[in-house]
Amino acid sequence: MKSNYGGVDETARRANAMLRSMSDDIIDKRQEFGLDQFYQTFTRNAVANLPKLSRRAVEQAIEEMESKGHVFGKKDAGNAKHYALTVQDVVDIYAHRKVPKYRDIHKGEGPFVIFVVNLKGGVSKTVSTVTLAHGLRVHPDLLQYDLRNLVIDLDPQASSTMFLNQANSIGSIVETAAQAMLNDLDAQQLREQIIKPTIIPGVDIIPASIDDGFVASQWDRLVQEHLPGVLPSEVLRRNIIDRVGSDYDFIFVDTGPHLDAFMLNAIAASDLLLTPTPPAQVDFHSTLKYLTRLPDMLEQLEEEGITPRIKGNIGFMSKMTSKRDHEMTHGLARDVFTSYILDATLPRLDGFERCGETFDTIVSADPQSYPGSSEALKNAKREAERFTQAVFKRIEFVRGMQ
């Protein structure tokens, strides 16, 4: 007979029931109030003010596209209907105008893989990752590029999965990134069985599950058993990224704050590392320790027979406030990263923390359902846009240097 060990089993059962109840409640509310799609739309005038467009260009494009059967989003406005153009509508207008997409500019280069990493927990790795994944897709200045983004969640806590596809973030699921890596699935199987959409079309996620922690702890043995002849730290690149990379422009990897097999796979697969650096002294101290360990991790990969492809390690300040000691730490971070520090920061704002209550990113959070102050949400969205654009510009600089 199975022992309850002081109520552990009962607590686990109740916790699982509460998780599902919370998730079902939010899903039901979204469906009831029509909030199960990305809320943002654009008027024709707003689109006309975007880069490389004008009022005449937009009107002409819409007229020509409608004559060929394209149906644009519209909404009621009294007795008339006004255009309410979706992100995809705007992308299609750019395509009709023959504005080059990001994949045309970087033709033949494959997806750019980004790993937001720090061995210190609670430094905003996941918030940064999901903010960038959604933000790069819908930033007004970047819509012209039709950026397609994928998040690969390798953190058993499944926090990225919670933000991007909460239905797959609860309990044990088998369609995870870790399982896909070991099962050696082909591209079609990955697309049909593993990759899941998010609320923003054009941004996908491969989920994680709590059971992945057991997989990570036995990784070398499992790889030897299921993938004989494959190097343990090249599985992510070989079995997922190389197979579906042509579908995406940016691929983000999220792992837990542990130096384990998943982190080594992420480093081996990455083109760029982003290091969130909180200003609190204990967090900053831990970040410095991580940075001193990074060369050892790269050396470990080389000893395994893998040549890292990293083109830069860019630091940025996370959880920043206007406190004097935070500004002092920012100065110390500049001394460490020198030219490899991002101009923009990810500040500590109520909006970033509260959007998780509705399983949203700050980008996807609908003002109609956001549980906090509308002004706080607006401020956080503005900072997310600024951060996203700064990262994009730095990526282009790094790629241009190659």
Side-chain angles (χ1 to χ4, degrees):
M1 182 176 178
K2 191 174 181 180
S3 172
N4 192 27
Y5 294 110
V8 169
D9 292 343
E10 178 64 17
T11 302
R13 185 188 66 78
R14 290 178 179 275
N16 184 59
M18 186 171 292
L19 274 172
R20 294 188 180 281
S21 175
M22 291 169 64
S23 181
D24 290 346
D25 183 54
I26 288 176
I27 290 172
D28 290 345
K29 285 181 179 177
R30 287 189 175 192
Q31 292 175 344
E32 180 183 357
F33 296 107
L35 302 174
D36 52 351
Q37 295 181 334
F38 184 48
Y39 75 95
Q40 187 175 14
T41 58
F42 302 82
T43 64
R44 282 194 303 180
N45 287 339
V47 175
N49 289 323
L50 296 178
K52 299 181 182 177
L53 294 176
S54 65
R55 182 172 181 175
R56 178 61 188 143
V58 172
E59 289 176 350
Q60 182 177 351
I62 290 177
E63 182 180 338
E64 292 172 353
M65 293 167 71
E66 286 183 327
S67 70
K68 296 178 181 178
H70 189 108
V71 178
F72 288 97
K74 293 184 179 180
K75 65 180 179 180
D76 292 323
N79 296 325
K81 282 186 177 291
H82 289 197
Y83 284 97
L85 304 174
T86 66
V87 168
Q88 189 58 52
D89 285 334
V90 179
V91 166
D92 291 340
I93 289 172
Y94 273 116
H96 182 79
R97 297 281 302 168
K98 294 183 169 52
V99 175
K101 298 178 184 292
Y102 194 75
R103 49 194 171 277
D104 300 324
I105 297 170
H106 294 282
K107 195 169 185 177
E109 296 181 27
F112 197 76
V113 182
I114 301 163
F115 184 24
V116 182
V117 55
N118 192 324
L119 281 172
K120 177 71 175 69
V123 298
S124 299
K125 294 189 304 297
T126 296
V127 169
S128 303
T129 299
V130 299
T131 298
L132 287 170
H134 271 171
L136 286 165
R137 175 64 180 169
V138 303
H139 192 291
D141 291 349
L142 306 180
L143 287 171
Q144 59 183 302
Y145 298 116
D146 186 21
L147 297 173
R148 306 158 304 164
N149 306 323
L150 172 68
V151 175
I152 301 174
D153 194 354
L154 284 171
D155 183 353
Q157 294 299 316
S159 296
S160 285
T161 307
M162 181 200 75
F163 278 114
L164 299 177
N165 187 308
Q166 75 276 5
N168 286 284
S169 67
I170 297 170
S172 298
I173 59 172
V174 295
E175 297 87 5
T176 69
Q179 293 296 335
M181 289 158 67
L182 284 178
N183 290 330
D184 204 10
L185 305 181
D186 61 32
Q188 184 175 350
Q189 290 173 312
L190 289 170
R191 294 185 186 108
E192 293 177 354
Q193 302 173 26
I194 305 297
I195 298 173
K196 307 296 181 184
T198 75
I199 195 171
I200 297 182
V203 184
D204 297 330
I205 183 167
I206 301 182
S209 170
I210 192 68
D211 291 341
D212 293 343
F214 299 103
V215 175
S217 65
Q218 305 174 62
W219 186 252
D220 286 1
R221 180 184 65 78
L222 290 170
V223 170
Q224 188 176 7
E225 177 184 339
H226 295 276
L227 304 166
V230 178
L231 299 176
S233 298
E234 74 172 354
V235 183
L236 174 61
R237 166 62 65 172
R238 174 187 181 274
N239 286 9
I240 293 185
I241 292 174
D242 286 347
R243 293 178 184 177
V244 298
S246 60
D247 297 341
Y248 300 99
D249 301 296
F250 293 114
I251 294 179
F252 295 88
V253 186
D254 189 20
T255 71
H258 318 289
L259 179 48
D260 59 10
F262 289 167
M263 180 175 284
L264 288 173
N265 265 269
I267 292 174
S270 295
D271 295 295
L272 184 71
L273 304 181
L274 291 176
T275 301
T277 308
Q281 187 170 356
V282 63
D283 293 334
F284 184 66
H285 186 264
S286 296
T287 301
L288 294 178
K289 289 198 291 185
Y290 152 71
L291 292 170
T292 64
R293 292 291 307 279
L294 189 54
D296 296 333
M297 299 181 212
L298 296 174
E299 186 177 340
Q300 185 174 339
L301 291 173
E302 290 173 345
E303 290 174 354
E304 191 179 323
I306 295 172
T307 301
R309 52 199 297 144
I310 293 170
K311 301 171 180 64
N313 177 28
I314 308 301
F316 66 92
M317 301 303 296
S318 62
K319 295 190 170 183
M320 276 290 290
T321 71
S322 57
K323 292 181 180 179
R324 185 171 178 273
D325 57 332
H326 284 198
E327 293 296 336
M328 289 176 61
T329 307
H330 196 175
L332 296 175
R334 289 193 187 98
D335 292 340
V336 173
F337 286 103
T338 61
S339 62
Y340 292 97
I341 193 165
L342 200 67
D343 294 333
T345 68
L346 199 65
R348 183 167 196 160
L349 295 175
D350 182 65
F352 286 102
E353 297 177 5
R354 297 206 65 177
C355 64
E357 295 177 23
T358 52
F359 301 126
D360 282 303
T361 68
I362 198 64
V363 181
S364 68
D366 190 329
Q368 294 184 57
S369 60
Y370 176 71
S373 157
S374 59
E375 189 64 27
L377 179 63
K378 187 185 300 184
N379 291 339
K381 284 181 177 290
R382 182 174 60 248
E383 293 298 330
E385 278 195 0
R386 187 177 301 166
F387 174 68
T388 298
Q389 188 168 46
V391 170
F392 179 80
K393 287 181 177 179
R394 183 56 68 101
I395 290 171
E396 290 304 276
F397 177 77
V398 169
R399 297 189 85 162
M401 292 295 289
Q402 304 302 308

